[in-house]
Each structure stands twice: as C-alpha cells, then as structure tokens.
Amino acid sequence: MIGRIAGVLVTTVILGSAQAAWADITIGGILSITGPTAAQGVGYKNAFDLMPKEMAGQKVNYIVRDDGGDPAVAVSIARKMIDEDHVDAFIGPATNPTLAAVMPVAQEAHVPVVVMAPALFDVHKYTFAFDTAQPTTLMIKGVVDHMKAHGVKTVGFIGYSDGFGDQVLDGLKLGAAGSDITVVDDERFARTDTSVQPQVLKALTHKPDVMMLGGSATPGALPSLALAQRNYKGQVYNNHGVVSPAYIQVGGQAVEGVIAPTGPLVVYDQLPDSNPVKAVATDFMTRYIAAFGPQSRNAFAGYSYDAMLIIQAGVPTALKAGAPGTQAFRDALRDGMEHVSNLIGTHGIYNMTPDNHNGMDERARVMVQVVNQSWKLMP
Amino acid sequence: MDVTIAELLLQDGLTTGAIYLLLAIGLLLVFLVTRVIFIPQGDFVAYGALTLASMLAGHVPATLWLLDVCAVASALLQWRSWRGVSWALGPALLITLATLVAVRLGAWVWLQGALAVGITALLAPMVYRLAFRPLRHASLLTLLVVAMAVHFVMVGLGLVLFGPETQRTPAFSNASFTWGEVDISGHSLWVAGCCVVLVAALWWMFHATMLGRALRASASNPMGARLMGIEGDRMAAIAFAMAGGIAALAGLLIAPITPIAYDSGFLIGLKGFIAAVIGGLASYPVAAVAALVVGVVEAFASFWNSAYAAAIVFALLIPALLWLSVRTRSIEEP
Amino acid sequence: MTALLEVTGLRAGYGRAEVLHGIELMVAEGEIATLIGPNGAGKTTTLQAIMRLIPSQGNVRFQGVDVGGLSTEELVARGLALVPETRALFTDMRVEENLLLGFYRSFRQGARDQDARLAQVFAIFPRLQERRRQLAGTLSGGERQMLALGRALMGRPALLMLDEPSLGLAPLIVRDIFAVLDRLRKGGLSILLVEQNARAALALADHGMVLEMGAVVATGASAALSADPRVLETYLGQRHG
C-alpha cells in the first residue's frame, strides 16, 4: 500500500517537473477594451487572434484582460498575471496612464513588457520595458518637415488639454526649433467639449499660416469642423492619433485636405513595392481583414502584432537559458529583445539597443492626406 | 477681442447654454417629482444621438431591443395588473413596429429623429420602474448612489450597443445667415428655436393642464398629492419619460455640433446639473438663466484660457453654493 | 341609518411600535361622526391608517365594500377624502390651482364640470375667490383651512375626514368652519371629524367615539356622550356632582 502511494507520488513529481520543463510560453495582454479609449482597444485586442500559437517549437498561451482604461485596474491585472499566470512577457498597456502604472510592476518582477503608445520612459530605469509605437517626435517631425518645405512661418495649435496634447505640442516645438517656424498660439480642448469655436476664434486672431491639431481619435476632428465653419483657408495638419476612416466619417468635408503622419501599415495597399515594410504589413492586414472584415481596418492592431514579433525574436535565446515560466527565461528574453536588429514589423523596422527600446526610424512614418474622403499616401 | 468675436462667442455660448438649459429642466423635473438626482440624464443624451445615428446608417437601433427587454422585465414585475402590463408593453410594441418600418423604408430624417427621441423617452420610465421605484422610500443619498450605478450601467451598455466610435448626426439646417458682420448658423437658430418652443410648451403644460398641475403638486407636497388621488408612480414615470425625451432631443441638437460617443453624455449632463444646482434644485427660471450663463462663461473662458475652461465653469458652483447655503431652506427628506 | 364607513380591528403603528390596537368605528350615511380623545391617543394615526398613508391591518369597509387592500389614490377615487392636520397644501401654487387639483381624481374619471364645482366652493368660501390668484403659501391660517376644505370638496367625496380643523385657529374662524360643516351635512355629506376640542365637536356631531391609548373606549350619540360623567370629567373639564 505504502509502496503504491509512494509510486503515485514519485510519478506525480516526475510528471510535474517534466511539465515545468516543457511549460508553455505565456504572454499577458493588458488592454483598454472598454472605457474612454475603447475605440482603439478593440484593434489592439483583435490582433491577438492572428498571433502564432507556437514560438521556436514552443506552445504559446495568450491571456488578454481589459483594464477599462483605469490604471489601478491595470496594475491589479498585471500583479495577478505575474503571480497566478506566471506570464513570461506583457503586451500592452497601450494608453499612457495605464502603461505608466504597469511598467514599475513589470520592472519589479523582472517581466518584459512591450507597451504600445508613444511613452517617454527611462530605458536605464525600466530595463524590461519596450515600446512598439512611433515616438511622437518622430511623427510630428514629418509634419514640421512638410511645413518647412512649404515655407510656413506661423503655426496655431489646438490640442487636447491632457498629456497627449502636450506631447504633440512638444514635438512641434522641438521640430520647429532652429527653423523660422513659430508656434503663435496654444489652445486646449477636452474630447467631451460641446464646442471648440472659442478656441478656434482665439487661434485665428493670431492669423497663423497653418494650423496644427493635437487631438486623437474622432473627437480630434472637432477643431477641423470649427475651422471649416470659420472658412479657414490655411493648411490644417493633424497628428497620427486621428488617422482612421472613422475620423473622416465624423469630419466629412471639413477634414478634406488635412495632412497627418502615420505608420505605413495604415496605407499598406498604397505603399510602393520598394517600401521595406510593405510585405509584412500587407500579410498582416490581409489576414486581419479576412478575420474581422474591411470595416475593422485600423492601425492599432499592428502595434500588438509588432510587440509579439519583438518577443518572438527574443524567444530562441531565452529558451537556451531556461524553461518558460522561470526567471532565467525572462531575463534572457529581455536580453534577446534588447538586441533585436532589423526586425521588420507592420509599422516599421525595429533596431533595439540598450539605450533605445523603441528602435524605430523614419521608415516607420509616412505622410497621408485626406483626398476625396479617404486617406491617401503622399509622395 | 473685437465685437465680432464677442458676438460669435456669445452665439456659441448661448447655443450650448440652450442645450444645458434643456438638461437642467429635465433634471429639476425628475428631482422635484421623485427626489432622484438624474445623473444618467447625460447618458440619455448620448443614447438619443447614437440611436438616430444608427438609424441613419440603416440599422435597427440597438436601443430598441434594450427598450423591449426592459418593457418585458417591467411587465413581469407588475404581472398582477393588466393595466400595468399593457402600459409597460403597449408603447414599446408600437414604437418597435414604427421604427422597424421607418428603418426599412429609410423614412425622412425628422421622422427618424422623432422615433429616436421616442425610444429614448420610453426607456427612461423603464429605468425608473426597474431601478428607482423599488427604492422610492429610500433616502436622497441612497437614490443618488443608485443613480450613479445606473449611469455606470448605461455607459457600459452603451459601449456594447453602439460600439466605441463617436458619431455625428446631420444638422437640422445647413443654412447660414449674416447679421451685421456675424454669421449665424441655421443650426444655432434651430437649437434656440427648439429650446424656446419646448420651454413654452412645458410652461403651458405645467400651468394649464391637469397633468402639468399634478406634476407640480407631486413636487410641491407629495402627501397632499396622494390625498388628491395623484398616483406618485404615474407622475414619476411621466417625469422620467419627459426628462428622457428632453435629453434625447438635446442629444440630437448637440450631435451635429460635436460628435457623440457612448460615454460623452456625462460631462454634458454635468453642466446642466451645475445650472440646476445654481437654481437651488428648486427653481426652473433660475436654473434656466444659470444654464445660459454656464454656456456663455464656458465659451468666453475657452477663448481666454482654454486650458482652464472646465475649471472655470465648475468654479461657478462655489459662489452659488455659498449663496444657497446662506439663504435656502433645506431640501432634505419630507 | 346605513353604515358608510365601518372599521373593525384596525391595527397600525410606526416602525415596531403599535399605536392602534384594534380600532372599531363607524360613520353612518349623512351624519357627522366625531373621534375625540387626548393628545397621543392615536386619532391622527387612525385617519392615516384608514387612508392607507401608513401600513395597517384590519377590516375597512366603505360603502359596503371591503377596501382593505387599496392604495391611498384608489381610496380617493372611491370617494374618501382626508384633510390632514398639516393641511398639505401646495404652497407654491395658486389658490385656484390648489382647488383644481382637488378635482384631479374626478377629472381622471371623466368629469369636466370643474367650473361649476369651483363656483360652489367659492359660494361656500367667498374669501377663496378673492384670493384665487394668490399663492397658497401666502394665506392666513384660517384661509388655509378653508382652502384645504374647499380642495377636498372639489372631488365631491362621499366621506370627508377632517383632522383637527380647529387647530391653531381663532375661535371665530373655528365657529365659521363648523357652521360650514353643519351646512355640508344638511347637503347630505358624511363627515368624520377628529378633534381635540371635544366640546365643540360633540356639539356639532351626531355621534361620537372616544379614543384612548389606541382603542375606542366609548361610543354613542353625541348628546349621550356629552352627558357621560367620565367624558365630562376627562374631556369637557367639568367635575361631576
């Protein structure tokens, strides 16, 4: 009898340890699928359905949870995923408040985390954090370059009264520094405001050559509507946060001619064949549209997918160091991700270094314009 | 700032102020009759606008099914009374049929707008029946907490029903008039017109019809009203329906100016609430004037210092509350 | 004389405290009945319980029908009217609007003769006609009582229940109001009068009931009760013999 119990115990232990040795890779997704940024969250989430079920011959499990845009919820999800699901890496969060809350948690537990919004963080402090989104400065530089090429002297700015508006304005000022472009006005609005007429009236008193807008998603079209009502004739620039079909739907004729930077993925079908990103972007978007329909097309899914690609690139080295679920695996995974070079994603080409955990360059940006009510790639 | 800009700001402020005015009236009506602080009113604004947007896109609006589910639920709650069941199901059934036909035929925009207002208005008494009626003897604070909960439920449902995208509905008029040096948009005139007509209609109803007097009586002295045979439940349901309809109308008036998403309503409703509070949660005329002031202050504050516009608007509450705390009788439990 | 209102075994209270321990009372058609008793005996509670303003148990028959399960509003619809001690006026509404609200129930039942009824009420209380455009909150105490009574009469009730109509009023006004009640009785209205002023109440009423500690302890014709030594001693302030 005792022998049989001992036998069962031994078998369990062996099987248990065997299981540990061959444990699956677990990737946790923390996204804002509901809440104020729900419009983007759905795209980030859908991409998970298109991710590979295996990496380097190892089965991968994805766990996706919704934080509703609430940083406190995001933190508790992160802790739970670390303690109970033993995740090897995080994809997301993708909003600034939530990712700022989750990064310290991931750092403390030494779990790689790939965030998906332009975040300015110290890579030497948050050594486990990576970012797949184009830095705002990189994006806005495209706008400023366009302004310079067209002899613009004065710019009026209307943006969100939050960190996003600040980022766009900072990018604008940084890009304009050293040139003869001056930002003549800084107006702010909230995405729930019933009217931005006053801000537009104020900005126009400065008679700016062009207007730069710093809102995101569909409410980002509000200033354009008010500008059109005031018959503003100058060029209107917007930022990468508004480039979606829904923006044109809301803005209608008022946003015709608006110029904005965006990732190449958004206009994948208009890219010249010479574009290095085209193949990956086209493959991803074709599968995405097949799965979710043409109406679902968006830029955000690509960031999730690129996050997965960066993790995947680190997996082979990590497997040599230890089994998934162990600290050795996660440490090596981070090291591997930090040395990713020339990785072609859907949004650009990633070259990570210990000093740069984003690694994107100008190939991650194209300029687009609303022409005949759709986004057209600018030559 | 020159005169033209001041006039444009005034026009802008009065337009949004007129919308806040509608919301302030709805809020007061519900509060005075039922003691419920109608926090979800802003959500009815969004539901109204999104219902119309969805119909104009050729879909049967999801609110219609929500209405039907709520109607069946409240019919089950009062299954003992044939009258109760028919009152719960009848209007819902009628508007369901009308909407299905209208969407199928792609009827006139104004008819679809009227249906969107109707659907939203009918939803409001259901919310009363399911959430507030069981607690009608509870304290103000309990009702406030429940109102908050209803708001969160409605926002969550809104995301499921309408999706996360913002929507715009067509302006009532794209015409534009020039008056002196100022362009006046046709839509602004529509907003002002709707507001004046609605206020006049409500005034007439409150003072010249038995139903209107009964609503005021329930607000003035609930016990007295019961002794006149005025059914508190019926009055509460009517007050909710009116507030829901007014909110939906406000939604249709805002949505052409600013795109509306499932969660846009709360802050808009809050501005109406500020106006109602400045009116001491008791006075319609003071609340109406306060709403216009809120709109104008918001416009000028956005012009002078847009980063602090919201703070300036909410700061209007401080002097109002100080003044009220000095001179008003307490509006606590009866 | 047939019983218009018949109450048996009526129990009610506030929270856990039972105030009424099985009230028995009766109002006959066309009479003024009065319920007298000291402060705290449960007079107001009795009226509230009959009117279902507070939860109660027991048997209430009105016009020969059991109305125990009905709500306040339904009782009003059947012709019961209560003028409460507080008058429960709509103070921020005009006198005329208050009166018209007394007509609400009849209006819902299809009646449209509000002008005729208004004229009748104004005939009884000419003062209300003078004040018809004034807010009810600006009326004097006596006028308020007139308005409360007039408002109840607008509904043409079968039984009018009055809770302390003389409370806080000058004796002259009380006399006027009681005179009106007398005229109403002559016009065929049945009245249940709750009064602390037992002497005046018994002088007016056809029959009376004495309430003590939540139970009816004596009942009978007013004249007989007025002569009852116990009643005399306790409520009429006379030492007998």
Side-chain angles (χ1 to χ4, degrees):
Chain A
M1 187 61 200
I2 291 171
R4 268 179 63 188
I5 293 174
V8 170
L9 278 175
V10 169
T11 325
T12 318
V13 170
I14 292 171
L15 279 177
S17 57
Q19 229 166 9
W22 295 106
D24 304 336
I25 298 170
T26 310
I27 294 177
I30 305 175
L31 303 172
S32 308
I33 303 164
T34 59
T37 56
Q40 291 102 302
V42 178
Y44 288 114
K45 184 195 75 156
N46 284 347
F48 279 79
D49 290 5
L50 305 178
M51 291 182 187
K53 304 289 172 267
E54 275 189 6
M55 286 181 186
Q58 199 77 16
K59 193 167 173 298
V60 187
N61 295 321
Y62 301 96
I63 308 166
V64 181
R65 301 246 156 81
D66 173 25
D67 60 30
D70 182 341
V73 176
V75 164
S76 74
I77 291 173
R79 288 197 195 285
K80 208 170 166 214
M81 283 182 167
I82 292 168
D83 296 340
E84 294 174 17
D85 304 316
H86 306 289
V87 291
D88 297 298
F90 286 113
I91 292 180
T95 75
N96 271 302
T98 48
L99 69 85
V102 167
M103 272 199 305
V105 178
Q107 184 66 27
E108 185 192 303
H110 284 222
V111 179
V113 53
V114 190
V115 301
M116 302 182 287
L120 304 165
F121 60 89
D122 178 1
V123 283
H124 300 291
K125 186 176 172 201
Y126 294 110
T127 49
F128 279 77
F130 298 83
D131 194 342
T132 56
Q134 295 89 339
T136 309
T137 45
L138 176 71
M139 288 302 213
I140 304 303
K141 188 159 179 303
V143 172
V144 179
D145 288 348
H146 189 274
M147 290 177 187
K148 283 177 185 163
H150 290 80
V152 170
K153 296 280 180 282
T154 51
V155 190
F157 175 80
I158 301 179
Y160 279 171
S161 51
D162 61 9
F164 184 82
D166 291 342
Q167 275 194 29
V168 175
L169 182 65
D170 290 347
L172 182 64
K173 284 179 170 165
L174 196 73
S179 72
D180 49 3
I181 299 176
T182 41
V183 181
V184 292
D185 189 30
D186 169 14
E187 295 298 324
R188 300 306 177 94
F189 71 106
R191 34 174 242 113
T192 47
D193 276 356
T194 33
S195 168
V196 287
Q197 280 281 353
Q199 289 90 329
V200 164
L201 284 169
K202 178 75 172 292
L204 295 187
T205 57
H206 295 94
K207 305 208 178 345
D209 293 345
V210 298
M211 289 297 300
M212 174 69 197
L213 307 181
S216 64
T218 40
L222 266 173
S224 282
L225 293 168
L227 281 165
Q229 215 178 328
R230 295 268 69 80
N231 279 320
Y232 180 66
K233 295 292 180 228
Q235 176 65 46
V236 178
Y237 294 92
N238 217 318
N239 66 83
H240 48 293
V242 300
V243 182
S244 72
Y247 170 81
I248 297 177
Q249 219 170 14
V250 163
Q253 284 304 319
V255 299
E256 188 72 18
V258 166
I259 294 176
T262 189
L265 176 69
V266 176
V267 283
Y268 74 96
D269 41 0
Q270 300 176 35
L271 293 174
D273 288 340
S274 60
N275 190 303
V277 176
K278 181 166 186 174
V280 176
T282 307
D283 169 63
F284 172 71
M285 225 17 158
T286 319
R287 289 199 287 140
Y288 190 87
I289 288 173
F292 304 105
Q295 292 302 315
S296 65
R297 206 173 144 168
N298 67 80
F300 310 106
Y303 294 116
S304 293
Y305 198 75
D306 287 358
M308 179 280 295
L309 288 176
I310 292 168
I311 294 168
Q312 189 179 34
V315 163
T317 18
L319 280 172
K320 285 180 203 136
T326 64
Q327 192 53 53
F329 178 84
R330 290 194 292 269
D331 286 338
L333 179 62
R334 189 211 78 88
D335 293 343
M337 288 162 70
E338 192 168 75
H339 292 95
V340 158
S341 77
N342 280 322
L343 174 75
I344 304 177
T346 61
H347 270 284
I349 293 159
Y350 298 90
N351 280 296
M352 304 289 183
T353 68
D355 295 321
N356 188 343
H357 277 194
N358 169 253
M360 291 172 128
D361 52 32
E362 305 221 330
R363 288 173 293 179
R365 179 193 72 219
V366 294
M367 297 302 290
V368 291
Q369 184 169 28
V370 182
V371 178
N372 292 328
Q373 296 290 293
S374 72
W375 292 105
K376 288 286 171 340
L377 180 68
M378 295 176 77
Chain B
M1 186 170 72
D2 56 28
V3 179
T4 315
I5 287 181
E7 282 173 352
L8 282 169
L9 287 175
L10 196 64
Q11 181 195 343
D12 188 69
L14 288 175
T15 308
T16 42
I19 290 166
Y20 299 153
L21 186 156
L22 295 180
L23 297 177
I25 288 178
L27 242 147
L28 268 179
L29 177 62
V30 166
F31 177 74
L32 291 175
V33 174
T34 66
R35 295 182 308 127
V36 171
I37 294 187
F38 195 28
I39 292 171
Q41 194 186 24
D43 302 313
F44 281 90
V45 173
Y47 274 41
L50 294 172
T51 300
L52 178 60
S54 153
M55 285 169 75
L56 291 178
H59 305 302
V60 175
T63 16
L64 194 61
W65 306 131
L66 179 66
L67 172 67
D68 291 340
V69 169
C70 289
V72 170
S74 54
L76 287 178
L77 274 180
Q78 46 201 331
W79 60 276
R80 270 174 231 273
S81 142
W82 166 241
R83 235 177 110 90
V85 170
S86 52
W87 266 108
L89 289 180
L93 193 69
L94 275 178
I95 203 156
T96 304
L97 290 176
T99 307
L100 289 178
V101 171
V103 169
R104 192 73 187 271
L105 300 178
W108 305 289
V109 175
W110 63 264
L111 178 61
Q112 304 210 25
L115 284 169
V117 171
I119 294 171
T120 318
L122 282 179
L123 199 56
M126 306 285 174
V127 168
Y128 165 74
R129 187 71 191 72
L130 299 174
F132 296 107
R133 152 88 226 243
L135 297 162
R136 63 196 180 285
H137 301 303
S139 70
L140 270 181
L141 192 61
T142 310
L143 291 173
L144 176 66
V145 171
V146 174
M148 214 58 217
V150 170
H151 157 65
F152 284 121
V153 169
M154 284 191 68
V155 169
L157 270 176
L159 178 61
V160 177
L161 297 177
F162 304 109
E165 292 297 348
T166 50
Q167 305 280 351
R168 255 178 101 205
T169 56
F172 286 33
S173 155
N174 288 315
S176 171
F177 306 91
T178 314
W179 182 66
E181 294 202 7
V182 181
D183 291 335
I184 297 178
S185 77
H187 189 75
S188 291
L189 290 180
W190 264 102
V191 172
C194 282
C195 192
V196 168
V197 168
L198 200 86
V199 167
L202 284 174
W203 179 267
W204 175 80
M205 182 193 150
F206 280 143
H207 291 92
T209 70
M210 194 53 107
L211 176 62
R213 278 193 289 262
L215 279 168
R216 283 167 65 211
S218 316
S220 168
N221 189 324
M223 211 251 281
R226 286 181 76 186
L227 289 174
M228 298 302 105
I230 297 169
E231 311 89 329
D233 260 352
R234 184 162 170 271
M235 292 303 125
I238 289 170
F240 265 84
M242 287 172 62
I246 290 172
L249 178 67
L252 301 198
L253 292 173
I254 302 171
I257 308 177
T258 191
I260 295 287
Y262 71 100
D263 61 346
S264 312
F266 181 68
L267 271 177
I268 298 170
L270 210 53
K271 309 265 171 66
F273 180 62
I274 292 176
V277 168
I278 293 175
L281 280 178
S283 161
Y284 288 97
V286 177
V289 173
L292 294 176
V293 170
V294 167
V296 172
V297 166
E298 191 179 32
F300 280 84
S302 302
F303 183 86
W304 277 311
N305 193 337
S306 54
Y308 294 102
I312 292 168
V313 168
F314 289 114
L316 281 178
L317 268 180
I318 296 170
L321 289 177
L322 282 175
W323 168 246
L324 286 170
S325 70
V326 176
R327 64 166 291 274
T328 323
R329 68 203 156 91
S330 154
I331 359 172
E332 244 308 304
E333 310 303 316
Chain C
M1 264 199 292
T2 50
L4 180 65
L5 178 76
E6 220 179 340
V7 176
T8 45
L10 185 68
R11 294 168 177 278
Y14 303 94
R16 291 225 185 108
E18 193 181 82
V19 176
L20 306 182
H21 314 294
I23 300 277
E24 317 276 327
L25 68 79
M26 200 268 276
V27 181
E29 197 103 45
E31 71 159 8
I32 296 182
T34 184
L35 190 62
I36 57 175
N39 246 336
K43 302 189 299 289
T44 297
T45 311
T46 304
L47 293 184
Q48 287 178 332
I50 293 173
M51 213 56 204
R52 299 289 293 174
L53 288 170
I54 55 171
S56 62
Q57 292 142 33
N59 193 355
V60 180
R61 295 178 74 81
F62 182 62
Q63 295 174 321
V65 184
D66 181 13
V67 293
L70 298 185
S71 67
T72 306
E73 293 90 333
E74 286 164 327
L75 289 172
V76 173
R78 297 207 174 203
L80 262 169
L82 168 66
V83 176
E85 199 179 318
T86 59
R87 323 301 192 227
L89 294 178
F90 308 118
T91 49
D92 51 355
M93 298 175 76
R94 295 173 195 283
V95 166
E96 190 171 46
E97 289 178 314
N98 271 272
L99 291 174
L100 284 172
L101 280 160
F103 182 67
Y104 176 83
R105 200 63 247 182
S106 310
F107 182 86
R108 290 270 288 153
Q109 288 165 338
R112 290 296 180 269
D113 56 341
Q114 62 264 47
D115 293 337
R117 294 195 196 185
L118 263 181
Q120 277 176 3
V121 170
F122 287 150
I124 301 171
F125 300 113
R127 187 77 70 83
L128 292 181
Q129 187 161 21
E130 292 163 26
R131 302 254 187 273
R132 62 194 288 179
R133 302 246 170 256
Q134 229 168 292
L135 293 186
T138 63
L139 297 182
S140 71
E143 289 164 344
R144 282 173 187 235
Q145 183 56 55
M146 291 177 200
L147 179 55
L149 244 171
R151 188 178 65 171
L153 292 175
M154 285 292 289
R156 296 253 166 95
L159 174 65
L160 179 63
M161 302 194 286
L162 302 172
D163 196 359
E164 306 275 7
S166 70
L167 196 75
L169 301 185
L172 263 174
I173 298 171
V174 173
R175 212 184 58 193
D176 285 352
I177 290 194
F178 275 35
V180 167
L181 296 183
D182 189 32
R183 268 167 59 200
L184 290 172
R185 166 175 53 189
K186 291 194 176 105
L189 182 64
S190 314
I191 297 172
L192 174 57
L193 175 67
V194 162
E195 261 296 349
Q196 253 190 315
N197 184 349
R199 190 190 299 271
L202 285 177
L204 174 70
D206 302 293
H207 115 252
M209 295 153 281
V210 180
L211 196 63
E212 236 171 62
M213 304 288 279
V216 173
V217 292
T219 178
S222 303
L225 276 182
S226 302
D228 186 315
R230 265 191 324 158
V231 175
L232 273 174
E233 189 172 331
T234 322
Y235 304 109
L236 303 180
Q238 287 181 4
R239 278 207 169 267
H240 190 66

